[in-house]
Amino acid sequence: MSKLKIAIQKSGRLYEESLQLLKDCGIFVNNGKDQLKVSVDNFPMEIMYLRNSDIPQYLEDGVVDVAIVGENLLAEKQKNIQIVEKLGFSKCRVSLAVPKEVETNDLSYFQGRKIATSYPNTLKNFLEQKGIKSDIHIISGSVEIAPNIGLADGICDIVSSGSTLFKNGLRETITILKSEAVLAKTSVLNPEKEAILNKFLFRIQSVLRAKNTKYILMNVPNEKIKAIASVLPVLKSPTVIPLAEKGWSSIHSVIDEERFWDVIDELKENGAQDILIIPIDKMVI
């Protein structure tokens, strides 16, 4: 039987969270930190630990079938690769930044100036779209130091919290690209491996739904059940269970994490009491 070859970072920002996602999907990896290739016993999958910058090329060539990789890297490498699922972790952005003493946030600041970056393709495409001509200096690492040593007037780099920029006397001005970890696949996947990928994707989606929702229980006067049910963004309809106390019922449902507090406020306004919130481990629909 074929095995789906998946690439994850050998080290770096995505490594730990990629392994955690596999674990949440019921795919257990005994080790791998010192190995470049590891087989999985309980799922038709083979894990390859690769250098981050090599993953897009391996995907395009079909050396690996799928990979957990950052959107920003795929955009920069410009390969023939399809994103099949956004994974919601390792969120960052590719942004322009300037020395903190520069007062303007306007893109015109960079007209004719030097920009240091590890993302030359992403930056070049953005500047061309905006009609800005700049002198791009490609640096493989420690981009933030470039303005301090007189190499550039600003930088283009990935930003998460912004603390690294602050420590180097820089501030973020313009976001070029928002990024997060994604599951990407090669364009040469055969039907047998495509079927395995669909099973893996089903598990991922069940895990992601669970992370974005909460299970909710509440006690409600019977005359308020209809009003409460109209507030709940349920999959089909809420579960209603009569309580021992006459005239009351317990309602069970799920709510989205993004709307959590808004929904809670509406439930209370409509008569819900004794509200309990429980995390969901998996959510299969």
Side-chain angles (χ1 to χ4, degrees):
M1 182 179 179
S2 293
K3 289 191 174 185
L4 190 72
K5 294 180 180 179
I6 181 171
I8 67 173
Q9 282 187 12
K10 186 164 70 170
S11 61
R13 294 186 311 119
L14 296 179
Y15 173 76
E16 293 292 344
E17 289 181 285
S18 297
L19 288 182
Q20 184 61 51
L21 177 63
L22 293 178
K23 183 178 179 181
D24 291 341
C25 290
I27 298 169
F28 297 99
V29 184
N30 292 327
N31 74 50
K33 203 162 188 179
D34 298 322
Q35 294 178 265
L36 296 180
K37 188 170 68 171
V38 178
S39 293
V40 175
D41 294 332
N42 63 343
F43 193 80
M45 176 179 284
E46 193 171 64
I47 300 170
M48 299 182 71
Y49 296 90
L50 302 175
R51 194 171 65 175
N52 187 47
S53 60
D54 293 336
I55 291 176
Q57 188 65 58
Y58 277 49
L59 270 173
E60 186 175 60
D61 293 342
V63 176
V64 296
D65 303 311
V66 296
I68 297 175
V69 65
E71 281 181 284
N72 57 304
L73 184 62
L74 296 181
E76 175 60 27
K77 295 296 184 180
Q78 300 178 339
K79 301 297 183 181
N80 182 25
I81 297 166
Q82 180 184 345
I83 294 174
V84 292
E85 188 71 36
K86 294 192 175 187
L87 302 177
F89 59 83
S90 290
K91 292 186 177 182
C92 64
R93 53 200 178 273
V94 179
S95 294
L96 289 163
V98 298
K100 60 183 179 181
E101 60 268 18
V102 175
E103 296 182 356
T104 183
N105 288 339
D106 200 288
L107 183 60
S108 61
Y109 166 80
F110 292 99
Q111 184 72 40
R113 295 182 185 269
K114 299 176 182 178
I115 307 175
T117 186
S118 298
Y119 294 88
N121 293 325
T122 303
L123 176 59
K124 180 182 177 183
N125 292 339
F126 175 77
L127 294 177
E128 286 180 351
Q129 290 172 10
K130 300 298 183 179
I132 299 294
K133 293 184 178 180
S134 301
D135 186 4
I136 298 175
H137 285 249
I138 303 173
I139 299 178
S140 59
S142 301
V143 175
E144 296 86 358
I145 198 173
N148 292 329
I149 61 176
L151 181 62
D153 302 296
I155 69 166
C156 175
D157 202 16
I158 57 170
V159 180
S160 295
S161 66
S163 61
T164 303
L165 293 179
F166 179 80
K167 291 175 183 176
N168 286 277
L170 303 173
R171 62 181 187 84
E172 185 178 4
T173 57
I174 298 168
T175 297
I176 294 177
L177 172 73
K178 290 185 178 180
S179 173
E180 64 184 88
V182 297
L183 181 71
K185 73 171 184 175
T186 181
S187 61
V188 293
L189 204 61
N190 65 47
E192 187 176 4
K193 289 189 176 183
E194 190 78 51
I196 299 172
L197 172 59
N198 288 335
K199 290 181 180 180
F200 180 44
L201 191 58
F202 175 78
R203 296 190 185 192
I204 289 176
Q205 291 169 344
S206 297
V207 169
L208 295 181
R209 286 191 204 100
K211 288 182 177 180
N212 295 327
T213 55
K214 301 292 183 185
Y215 192 77
I216 184 169
L217 305 85
M218 71 205 81
N219 295 331
V220 178
N222 287 343
E223 67 271 16
K224 297 286 187 178
I225 291 176
K226 187 174 181 180
I228 292 292
S230 67
V231 172
L232 292 169
V234 295
L235 300 177
K236 287 188 173 66
S237 64
T239 301
V240 180
I241 303 173
L243 294 179
E245 184 175 345
K246 190 175 181 181
W248 285 78
S249 295
S250 175
I251 292 184
H252 299 205
S253 187
V254 296
I255 58 176
D256 295 329
E257 183 72 42
E258 289 183 358
R259 291 195 59 220
F260 179 83
W261 290 111
D262 291 335
V263 172
I264 293 298
D265 290 340
E266 289 184 64
L267 292 174
K268 291 178 66 179
E269 289 171 5
N270 282 280
Q273 298 181 18
D274 307 323
I275 300 173
L276 298 178
I277 310 297
I278 302 173
I280 301 174
D281 184 49
K282 305 287 188 300
M283 189 170 174
V284 180
I285 59 173

